[in-house]
């Protein structure tokens, strides 16, 4: 296996290679550096989200949780990996779509792709230099961190859906209209995005990330034949380009439904949504790392409920050399710190 380990904490990277025999289950949480943390909210009250992401010192501080500043999760919770503080939508922002994050609305693009005629606006062979803050941030982080750093990008379909919808959408109907009425133009969009995503991830790898996660949150909006024809080939292209240098973990809220298809494009690991029975998934995919899949809603419940569900997942994957504990989706901003503490304690027991 080509992936080098240069950290004191090796559990996460060895689990990705299915070689974790330490008895310790590696653990990190999607959105672990986000809004549930009071210190995140304190910084956020002084800056816009994009300012935070685009200022390497701030993005580094949020990712690495330095020991000098009071409670920060890597130190407080001892996660086994950190994830770059950024967003899947910074790539379309760099392509000129004008991203802001608005209270209650979430991400909003000022210049969405309204029709296939807009494709010419984003067509380019190389990454815009305005993304240079990303490697700068990663280099700062790497100097501070003693756990592996995860880089990431959105998968082309999920990123395209935001570019077409102009922001968050319940049913992705504008996107589905493109898919149905203009499949050729949609493929063109996926081609542009997959080529740029490969460059974007390679830039992160060159700057020092140790693994990458590809987020295809909304893939479940596609039928399986649409997934096969319009999305999967581009995911496969990205994985093939990236895997020789670092492992790729694929995440979607639809991983349970598309498990067989995703397995077929050979990511090193799959991060499962809450619906998956991980032990069954392990029987179906003995050679992939499996990450997941604690229901983040349960973190809003009682301590006993949290302990019980954590125990159930840990018991079902006990001794598995390729298991990484995570949530089935990002942590809710309302999650109490004590709930995260309880979850981690129970997994570590
Ligand atoms: O207002 C704020 O403070 C912004 C909140 C926030 C944060 C903390 C957003 C806006 N993005 C992030 C960070 C983020 N986003 C990370 C890195 C940090 C970490 O994990 O700790 C990552 C990996 C993401 C990825 C992301 N962004 C996804 C894929 C994962 C997922 O949660 O499904 C998606 C869909 C986005 C879009 C996005 N960005 C922000 C929000 C609130 C959303 C979701 C909007 C929606 O539901 O449509």
């Amino acid at each position: 296996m080509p992936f080098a380990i240069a950290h004191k904490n090796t559990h996460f990277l060895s689990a990705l290679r299915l070689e974790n025999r330490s008895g310790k289950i590696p653990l990190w949480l999607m959105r672990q550096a986000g809004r549930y943390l009071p210190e995140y909210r304190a910084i956020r009250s002084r800056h816009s989200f994009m300012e935070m992401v685009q200022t390497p010192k701030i993005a580094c501080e949020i990712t690495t949780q330095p020991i000098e500043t009071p409670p920060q999760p890597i130190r407080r919770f001892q996660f086994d990996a950190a994830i770059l503080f950024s967003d899947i939508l910074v790539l379309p922002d760099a392509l000129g779509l004008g991203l802001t994050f608005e209270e209650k609305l979430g991400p909003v693009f000022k210049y969405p792709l309204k029709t296939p005629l807009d494709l010419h606006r984003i067509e380019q062979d190389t990454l815009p230099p305005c993304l240079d803050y990303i490697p700068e941030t990663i280099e700062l982080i790497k100097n501070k961190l003693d756990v592996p750093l995860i880089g990431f990008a959105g998968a082309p379909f999920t990123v395209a859906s935001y570019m077409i919808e102009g922001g968050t959408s319940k049913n992705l109907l504008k996107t589905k209209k493109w898919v149905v009425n203009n499949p050729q133009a949609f493929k063109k969009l996926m081609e542009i995005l997959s080529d740029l995503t490969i460059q974007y991830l390679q830039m992160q790898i060159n700057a020092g990330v140790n693994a990458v996660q590809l987020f295809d949150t909304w893939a479940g909006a596609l039928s399986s034949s649409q997934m096969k024809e319009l999305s999967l080939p581009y995911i496969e292209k990205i994985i093939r380009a990236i895997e020789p240098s670092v492992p790729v973990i694929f995440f979607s809220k639809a991983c349970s439904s598309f498990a067989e298809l995703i397995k077929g494009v050979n990511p090193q690991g799959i991060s499962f949504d809450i619906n998956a029975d991980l032990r069954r998934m392990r029987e179906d995919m003995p050679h992939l790392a499996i990450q997941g899949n604690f229901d983040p809603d349960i973190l809003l419940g009682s301590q006993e409920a949290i302990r019980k569900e954590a125990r159930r997942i840990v018991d079902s994957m006990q001794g598995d050399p390729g298991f990484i504990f995570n949530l089935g989706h990002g942590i809710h901003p309302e999650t109490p710190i004590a709930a995260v503490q309880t979850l981690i304690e129970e997994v570590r027991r």
Side-chain angles (χ1 to χ4, degrees), residues 28-35 40 44 49 83-89 101 106-107 152 158 162 167-169 215 217-218 251 253 329-330:
W28 70 279
L29 304 180
M30 287 189 273
R31 297 270 169 100
Q32 68 189 12
R35 289 167 289 179
Y40 174 90
R44 180 72 168 91
F49 179 76
I83 181 160
L84 173 68
F85 178 72
S86 183
D87 198 84
I88 63 167
L89 302 179
F101 285 86
F152 70 93
T158 290
Y162 282 98
T168 297
S169 150
F215 287 94
T217 306
W218 306 125
F251 165 80
K253 284 180 96 166
H329 191 206

Side-chain angles (χ1 to χ4, degrees), residues 139-170:
E139 280 156 26
L140 278 186
I141 295 170
K142 291 297 293 182
N143 283 332
K144 288 199 171 179
L145 211 60
D146 62 356
V147 295
L149 177 64
I150 304 166
F152 70 93
F157 174 74
T158 290
V159 173
S161 76
Y162 282 98
M163 294 168 81
I164 295 171
E165 304 291 333
T168 297
S169 150
K170 273 210 160 60

Side-chain angles (χ1 to χ4, degrees), residues 23-43:
K24 186 185 173 201
I25 299 174
L27 178 155
W28 70 279
L29 304 180
M30 287 189 273
R31 297 270 169 100
Q32 68 189 12
R35 289 167 289 179
Y36 73 105
L37 288 173
E39 47 275 16
Y40 174 90
R41 295 195 298 268
I43 300 177

